[in-house]
Amino acid sequence: MDLYEYQGKQLFARHGIPVSEGRLATTPEEARAAAEELGGEVVVKAQVLTGGRGKAGGIKLAATPAEAEARAREILGLVIRGHAVRRLWVERASGIAQEYYLSVTFDRGEKKPLFMLTTQGGIDIEEVAAHSPEALARLHVDPLVGFQPFQARWLCFTAGIDDPAEQKQVVAIVEKLYTAFVACDAMLCEINPLIVTPAGDVKALDSKFTVDDNALFRHPDIAGMRDLEAVPAEERRAREKDVTYVKLDGEVGILGNGAGLVMSTLDVIAQAGGRPANFCDLGGGGDAEGVVDALEVITGDPDVKAILFNIFGGITRCDEVARGILAALGQMAITDPIVVRLDGTNAGEGRRLLVEAAPPNLHVEETMLSAARRVVELAK
Ligand code: GDP
Ligand code: MN
């Protein structure tokens, strides 16, 4: 789960990483009031779950509350890389002498957290890595040994931060960032830029914070930060019903049991010349309630023109799934054509049940490829 900049900064502050004081605003008037409270020059920042806000005009300085209101009005109208701006973060403006970059992320290949620090901050880290890799200090932390203080000093020396007062502050921030990373079950904590002010103070001017979805149950406060309005309506509905669903941009609705089977179903739809409208995994079972929940989510997408059920009965028996599908269709009025491919344990019995009792818009196919071809044809 990705957090907004201001939410990441809240977590930074909780772990003692210096950030600027600020206020959240959702209207130009609130931005004005925030600027009045903060006093002096402020920066008005679009809160969207994507980077490059500065370049897109989503970050503006304002010398007075009236100016903050005007800048807020402009920024609230923006759509940045497909993300409409609905929230603003108004914070006390900082003077900038240097822009550094600091992050800790999870390196899956090494199975260890990886720190990166460079004095060439403010720009995309990919650019630094590509054009001046020698300027990028990289260091893995062994999760069993834990973070060692000398590692922070090594990062500073290697990145070329040689002012002692500055070093001291960066070392402290590196250490606190690691604590925040572990305590929050984060996948990424990034500060770009980490600035040095003209007075020599080091602080986080931006934050990019990603928390492992599978650990959210341990962090109800972070889970509560999720902005439900920022996800597609179908995915919001799916989350409420506990259905594993990802919206895609095609017209063939997909429903299968098991993530691997559903993923290969997406490929077969593409091979048959169609485009999947979603990923949807029923999980192991195939009871009527689960099918109804999933079908409600899938048919809630107006782009869906036809639906493919792809079921492989391993532990689940196909006749049970067939009964589940029939019961579900009995409870809902679906007019879109539906193609069902059933295979595995008791497949013959399952198909027979469907053929005997199914409504006219339901078509039974024996193989995955024939089912994919049929549903793509019906979606046209
Ligand atoms: P991003 O473009 O989404 O990465 O947003 P950032 O929060 O990193 O801001 C982009 C740039 O705006 C920074 O690199 C700074 O140059 C500038 N900026 C942001 N906040 C301030 C501020 O308080 N004072 C000044 N002078 N510039 C700022
Ligand atoms: Mn940034």
Side-chain angles (χ1 to χ4, degrees):
M1 168 182 167
D2 295 332
L3 301 181
Y4 287 117
E5 172 198 359
Y6 76 94
Q7 296 170 328
K9 282 181 167 174
Q10 273 171 19
L11 297 176
F12 284 172
R14 212 182 277 176
H15 289 89
I17 296 167
V19 292
S20 301
E21 195 190 345
R23 303 271 186 281
L24 189 66
T26 55
T27 64
E29 294 73 26
E30 281 175 21
R32 182 193 189 108
E36 268 161 12
E37 271 181 57
L38 293 166
E41 194 181 21
V42 296
V43 53
V44 182
K45 308 184 78 173
Q47 298 298 291
V48 280
L49 297 174
T50 182
R53 296 165 302 159
K55 279 181 216 151
I59 293 177
K60 294 268 168 65
L61 289 163
T64 64
E67 227 178 274
E69 181 177 340
R71 297 293 86 78
R73 186 159 284 124
E74 292 160 13
I75 296 173
L76 280 170
L78 295 178
V79 176
I80 300 178
R81 296 198 203 164
H83 298 255
V85 181
R86 292 177 295 104
R87 298 181 188 191
L88 301 170
W89 179 243
V90 182
E91 74 173 26
R92 209 164 264 157
S94 305
I96 302 178
Q98 309 269 5
E99 293 195 325
Y100 298 165
Y101 170 101
L102 171 67
S103 70
V104 55
T105 183
F106 199 78
D107 183 343
R108 290 168 190 271
E110 290 286 329
K111 305 192 184 78
K112 285 174 186 160
L114 168 68
F115 268 107
M116 287 190 270
L117 175 64
T118 173
T119 56
Q120 304 191 7
I123 54 170
D124 283 350
I125 193 62
E126 287 80 3
E127 235 166 88
V128 178
H131 297 115
S132 33
E134 71 290 344
L136 189 60
R138 295 161 44 96
L139 179 81
H140 288 100
V141 177
D142 186 320
L144 299 180
V145 177
F147 178 80
Q148 306 293 308
F150 79 85
Q151 295 182 309
R153 292 195 294 275
W154 185 91
L155 279 165
C156 276
F157 291 134
T158 310
I161 298 173
D162 38 28
D163 176 79
E166 218 175 88
Q167 261 176 20
K168 203 169 158 204
Q169 296 176 70
V170 175
V171 162
I173 292 173
V174 168
E175 198 159 341
K176 287 165 177 161
L177 196 64
Y178 189 74
T179 311
F181 180 79
V182 174
C184 299
D185 288 306
M187 299 304 285
L188 170 70
C189 292
E190 184 187 80
I191 307 176
N192 188 23
L194 176 72
I195 60 157
V196 185
T197 68
D201 296 324
V202 182
K203 66 177 167 183
L205 205 69
D206 190 6
S207 95
K208 203 185 249 179
F209 209 117
T210 307
V211 178
D212 184 350
D213 280 320
N214 294 313
L216 281 176
F217 74 98
R218 301 208 283 208
H219 307 285
D221 55 329
I222 299 176
M225 290 178 174
R226 196 190 292 275
D227 177 10
L228 288 174
E229 284 169 42
V231 296
E234 292 86 1
E235 288 191 17
R236 214 180 315 154
R237 219 171 296 137
R239 207 164 278 141
E240 282 162 14
K241 292 181 183 294
D242 230 2
V243 173
T244 310
Y245 174 94
V246 180
K247 166 104 176 83
L248 300 171
D249 51 13
E251 55 290 317
V252 181
I254 309 280
L255 188 55
N257 63 336
L261 181 65
V262 178
M263 293 220 252
S264 51
T265 309
L266 304 184
D267 287 344
V268 174
I269 291 296
Q271 188 190 336
R275 292 187 319 155
N278 65 273
F279 171 100
C280 184
D281 176 13
L282 267 180
D287 59 327
E289 201 191 327
V291 177
V292 169
D293 284 348
L295 276 178
E296 276 177 356
V297 173
I298 291 172
T299 55
D301 175 357
D303 296 337
V304 167
K305 300 284 177 286
I307 300 167
L308 172 60
F309 274 77
N310 191 3
I311 306 290
F312 182 81
I315 297 169
T316 317
R317 286 169 21 214
C318 288
D319 54 317
E320 271 176 22
V321 178
R323 284 193 193 91
I325 293 172
L326 290 171
L329 294 180
Q331 292 172 37
M332 329 176 47
I334 295 187
T335 48
D336 290 328
I338 300 173
V339 176
V340 181
R341 175 260 181 169
L342 269 181
D343 207 350
T345 310
N346 282 10
E349 173 69 4
R351 279 187 221 122
R352 193 187 57 77
L353 284 170
L354 286 179
V355 170
E356 276 174 11
N361 62 332
L362 189 144
H363 312 268
V364 180
E365 290 284 342
E366 288 197 16
T367 72
M368 192 149 140
L369 186 57
S370 64
R373 287 187 177 136
R374 186 84 178 262
V375 77
V376 168
E377 190 56 40
L378 288 165
K380 274 177 189 156

